Amino acid sequence: MRTEHYDVVVIGAGVSGLYALHHFRELGMSVRAYDDAPTVGGTWWHNRYPGARVDGPSAPLYGYTFSRELIEEWDWPETQAAQSDVLAYVQHVADRFDLHRDIQLETWIQAARYDESTQRWTVETDGGTRISAQFLICAVGALSTPNEPDIPGIDTFAGACLHTGSWPEEPVSFAGKRVGVIGTGSSGVQSIPEIAKEAEHVTVFQRTPQYTIPARNRPLEPEELEAVRTNWDKLLEGMKRPPPPDRPLAIQPGIGHSAYDDTPEERRAVYEKLWEIGTLGFVANNYPELLVNEEINLEVSAFIQGKIREIVEDPETADKLMPDHFYGTKRPILDDGYYETYNRDNVTLVDLRQDPIEEVTATGVRTASGEHPIDILVLATGFDAITGSMLRLDPKGRGGVSLKDKWSSRFHNYLGLMVSEFPNLFMIHGPGTPGVLYLMPLGAELETQWIADCVTRMREQGMGAVEPTHDAELAWDREVNAIAEKTLFPRTDSWYTGANIPGKPRHFSVHLGGPTYFHRIAAVADEGYEGFMFEGERSTGAASD
Ligand code: N01
């Protein structure tokens, strides 16, 4: 088998992988990126279900920050860009920075193994190519391994069975079809209203009712884009600024004063105003107690429950839609007419807590109460989040240790970036990073810059390998969890805790510090990489065969 040699291999050509490729190439290193999709774009290629769009403001938050030219030349059409626009943006970036020449698409990396004698990784593609690199960057996506539910009989279903996270390339027509949708997270809430507009009938199979806030998406006015460009430096600084010490969580909202400074009536007026404005501002501009104080959270939760009762005409359906967890402790969702969709004659809601699925048959879904005839089944069942794609890759580290074994009961890592016994392997948006609770593109840039600084230092000092100590991993685990324990998050089952995947270890895997996290990892580097072990260079590894 022929072996190709690079300084850096990047797995994934989504938002993170593209930036890693660009950044390392700019440093003068040889880099090759691999992705199994037929185009760059990662999550924005795979999640092409109807209604998919970003939920933060596309300009300036959903975009790269490294190029001022990019900010100047890309016009986002809407406040919350549709999937097709984000994909076009990512493809534009790949063209604009000539990234394609170092990307191999439609290529699955099926194995990765570290060789201690050469201090290099060898990866193998499904096409039978072997690639050797000193550094392996896993930009494999935090939400990219679909959760395929293990429902009895699902393989016998005769119609199309589509997962929102791996949506088919060719257009799907729902016209005249009876559609079943399993799952009511962000993907279900975005897709159900769109599917209901076209389908003959939609049956929604809901396990956990969800809170959702009006998205209020709209076209972006040219003056708004101009304001972003004019104020760019200030905006960027704001995106990177850690919250003040009395608000240690980036996700802790900031209306500017305590909920207890206002009367219940004043608080109600605040919630009403935030609901009218919609967007994720409902969280970001709420009271600082929202995600840390049970009493205030329950008040906000009750407010949204009241909105559901106002919107949904049939009281029985409204009852089924009533969420009962702390608002915001699952990923907040924005919608465009989600609750209103249940007022349509062609939509039925099945509450799986009362009426569980018994099996999928060739022609439908059978719950305890009877059979629901279905032509197309949509699985909006989410992902084996944060760790699923790393475990699917299952790299083999020092002495052949497998990541699957290493992570069998807890996802040990240090700074969310590295794992002990896996030298020179770096993760972007790994467990222990802020991931989706920060700004994904900017987060990827900042993590990549940290990794690149570490690699540059190694090269300057003649180091061949780096890995964290296990003690540093244990301390990091405690640190991430100590932050989470100050909040209501761990008290809710969610993909943040791994509770959505049967058998997955319960481990809160998101760093809730936002920009604080990036200051923390910068301090580790500035103070001499405490918690890391560096090893002198053993071999150039540049031999070819
Ligand atoms: O997945 P989810 P998602 N039987 O895990 C249900 C990002 N995102 O794809 O809650 C029946 O949230 C499950 O029920 P339960 C965003 O970060 C962003 O919707 O586990 N039901 C739940 O209702 C988001 O958080 C956007 O009880 C089953 C649903 O399936 C993340 O991706 C858009 C089941 C899964 O919800 C994941 O969102 C889309 C089973 N066996 C996604 N298994 C934006 O807006 C699972 N469920 C940017």
Side-chain angles (χ1 to χ4, degrees):
M1 192 188 276
R2 197 171 63 85
T3 304
E4 295 174 12
H5 293 264
Y6 299 98
D7 294 324
V8 179
V9 156
V10 178
I11 307 181
V15 170
S16 309
L18 289 184
Y19 180 71
L21 165 59
H22 173 70
H23 191 88
F24 279 96
R25 216 170 63 175
E26 291 288 292
L27 292 178
M29 299 173 78
S30 62
V31 194
R32 189 89 177 142
Y34 298 85
D35 199 297
D36 69 319
T39 173
V40 300
T43 200
W44 295 105
W45 164 255
H46 292 288
N47 288 267
R48 289 186 309 277
Y49 59 84
R53 60 175 64 249
V54 299
D55 54 9
S58 11
L61 302 187
Y62 205 92
Y64 294 107
T65 68
F66 70 91
S67 159
R68 185 69 200 227
E69 293 76 31
L70 207 48
I71 308 293
E72 295 296 330
E73 70 197 19
W74 187 261
D75 291 339
W76 289 107
E78 295 176 283
T79 54
Q80 293 154 39
Q83 169 272 331
S84 55
D85 289 320
V86 185
L87 184 61
Y89 168 76
V90 181
Q91 288 170 334
H92 167 74
V93 173
D95 292 340
R96 172 83 171 65
F97 296 94
D98 190 21
L99 301 180
H100 286 289
R101 68 183 154 91
D102 292 316
I103 300 172
Q104 192 170 314
L105 296 169
E106 296 184 305
T107 301
W108 182 251
I109 300 295
Q110 56 185 21
R113 176 176 288 276
Y114 183 69
D115 179 346
E116 286 165 78
S117 64
T118 60
Q119 297 168 308
R120 292 176 74 86
W121 281 90
T122 301
V123 304
E124 278 174 30
T125 70
D126 55 356
T129 305
R130 186 181 290 156
I131 304 114
S132 159
Q134 187 182 6
F135 300 102
L136 182 62
I137 311 283
C138 298
V140 290
L143 292 159
S144 47
T145 298
N147 171 30
E148 308 278 357
D150 185 16
I151 300 172
I154 196 156
D155 294 338
T156 66
F157 183 64
C161 181
L162 314 173
H163 195 290
T164 48
S166 50
W167 200 255
E169 198 171 342
E170 50 295 339
V172 177
S173 171
F174 294 103
K177 304 284 189 206
R178 295 163 302 179
V179 182
V181 182
I182 302 179
T184 52
S186 302
S187 306
V189 166
Q190 283 187 333
S191 59
I192 288 163
E194 295 305 312
I195 297 171
K197 285 177 196 163
E198 196 189 341
E200 180 186 306
H201 194 90
V202 176
T203 308
V204 178
F205 299 93
Q206 169 199 271
R207 191 163 67 183
T208 304
Q210 270 283 11
Y211 302 97
T212 145
I213 304 298
R216 315 273 189 227
N217 179 42
R218 58 175 176 77
L220 252 178
E221 302 302 332
E223 312 80 83
E224 293 176 287
L225 271 172
E226 207 36 56
V228 166
R229 289 170 182 144
T230 311
N231 298 313
W232 178 245
D233 293 338
K234 230 168 114 191
L235 283 168
L236 184 57
E237 205 245 279
M239 290 190 260
K240 293 182 181 173
R241 190 185 312 126
D246 61 323
R247 285 203 293 124
L249 311 177
I251 42 75
Q252 209 167 338
I255 195 175
H257 61 271
S258 164
Y260 294 105
D261 293 340
D262 287 348
T263 63
E265 293 71 32
E266 286 167 337
R267 293 203 292 267
R268 165 100 204 167
V270 165
Y271 306 145
E272 281 290 357
K273 192 168 155 209
L274 291 173
W275 176 272
E276 273 324 300
I277 297 169
T279 75
L280 287 179
F282 189 87
V283 177
N285 300 321
N286 214 307
Y287 292 105
E289 287 86 357
L290 175 64
L291 298 168
V292 293
N293 174 309
E294 202 171 302
E295 184 179 46
I296 296 301
N297 187 291
L298 289 176
E299 186 176 87
V300 174
S301 301
F303 170 82
I304 305 171
Q305 288 160 0
K307 287 290 176 195
I308 300 172
R309 289 203 191 284
E310 274 172 33
I311 297 168
V312 179
E313 289 157 10
D314 173 38
E316 251 179 62
T317 305
D319 277 344
K320 291 184 200 166
L321 285 168
M322 220 41 68
D324 54 10
H325 54 278
F326 292 114
Y327 171 68
T329 54
K330 282 176 178 271
R331 173 69 159 69
I333 302 178
L334 301 183
D335 72 282
D336 185 10
Y338 176 69
Y339 296 128
E340 290 83 347
T341 295
Y342 293 97
N343 294 334
R344 297 178 68 107
D345 292 337
N346 69 334
V347 176
T348 308
L349 178 64
V350 177
D351 176 359
L352 297 181
R353 289 172 170 181
Q354 303 289 330
D355 187 11
I357 295 177
E358 291 186 340
E359 65 169 341
V360 175
T361 66
T363 54
V365 174
R366 195 160 57 75
T367 61
S369 67
E371 173 117 4
H372 303 268
I374 302 290
D375 303 311
I376 299 179
L377 189 57
V378 173
L379 303 177
T381 45
F383 303 91
D384 184 352
I386 310 175
T387 50
S389 298
M390 284 303 298
L391 289 168
R392 197 160 52 161
L393 175 68
D394 194 20
K396 306 292 187 298
R398 256 189 310 111
V401 62
S402 120
L403 189 68
K404 263 190 191 151
D405 288 344
K406 173 107 189 167
W407 278 1
S408 59
S409 59
R410 208 148 174 92
F411 307 119
H412 286 302
N413 68 81
Y414 183 41
L415 308 184
L417 297 165
M418 293 200 87
V419 180
S420 67
E421 300 181 87
F422 292 79
N424 295 359
L425 180 154
F426 296 92
M427 301 176 290
I428 301 179
H429 295 317
T433 61
V436 294
L437 287 182
Y438 184 58
L439 310 163
M440 291 296 259
L442 177 55
E445 288 175 341
L446 295 172
E447 287 173 43
T448 299
Q449 285 156 18
W450 190 97
I451 296 166
D453 288 348
C454 178
V455 165
T456 304
R457 176 188 191 260
M458 286 173 69
R459 299 204 140 197
E460 286 167 359
Q461 300 189 354
M463 295 295 164
V466 59
E467 70 179 288
T469 65
H470 187 52
D471 283 350
E473 291 182 320
L474 295 177
W476 182 247
D477 190 4
R478 285 193 293 275
E479 188 172 329
V480 172
N481 276 276
I483 301 172
E485 287 302 330
K486 291 182 190 152
T487 74
L488 300 169
F489 280 85
R491 292 169 60 183
T492 297
D493 284 348
S494 69
W495 60 257
Y496 302 147
T497 64
N500 66 324
I501 302 294
K504 186 167 177 170
R506 285 297 189 96
H507 184 171
F508 193 85
S509 298
V510 182
H511 190 290
L512 293 176
T516 308
Y517 162 84
F518 296 100
H519 284 250
R520 175 78 175 82
I521 62 173
V524 170
D526 292 345
E527 287 158 21
Y529 291 91
E530 195 188 349
F532 287 98
M533 298 183 293
F534 290 87
E535 196 178 82
E537 217 165 77
R538 281 200 196 141
S539 133
T540 63
S544 60
D545 40 352

